[in-house]
Amino acid sequence: MKESGGAGNLVYSGNGAGNRPRCPATLDRGVEVWTVSLDVDRSALAEFAASLAPEERERARRFRFDRDRDRFMAGRGLLRAILGRHLGVSPAELT
């Protein structure tokens, strides 16, 4: 099952039940495996960067190369997007 997110590149492989379960029911039904591309377009990157905690933004600033910084922000932003969906909160609300 494919899902579209801010970047439109989230791929979900779940438990085959048709509907993606929400936490904590997921824990009772098995493991979810997500694969994502960290090479996202600028608008998606801006969306992900806006969801990061101040500590994550500071860490991103310390990367020497833009590509590494962008991939870090995409990875953290995508993780926040996935967790936010499961928990029913916006990615920026996660602590």
Side-chain angles (χ1 to χ4, degrees):
M1 161 170 45
K2 289 192 181 244
E3 283 201 0
S4 61
N9 65 346
L10 297 180
V11 178
Y12 169 71
S13 177
N15 62 9
N19 294 326
R20 185 170 47 84
R22 296 175 67 88
C23 285
T26 302
L27 299 176
D28 296 334
R29 296 187 181 167
V31 174
E32 292 186 12
V33 176
W34 289 79
T35 60
V36 297
S37 172
L38 297 180
D39 297 316
V40 299
D41 61 41
R42 286 284 157 207
S43 64
L45 187 61
E47 183 180 330
F48 294 141
S51 74
L52 299 181
E55 297 83 11
E56 292 168 315
R57 285 190 202 111
E58 178 56 36
R59 184 173 172 195
R61 278 192 280 276
R62 291 194 303 256
F63 281 92
R64 182 174 184 179
F65 300 108
D66 290 343
R67 180 175 186 266
D68 296 333
R69 180 177 25 260
D70 292 350
R71 290 172 61 85
F72 172 79
M73 289 190 298
R76 297 303 290 219
L78 286 162
L79 176 61
R80 286 175 164 275
I82 292 166
L83 291 173
R85 284 182 186 170
H86 275 285
L87 298 172
V89 299
S90 81
E93 292 179 72
L94 296 170
T95 58

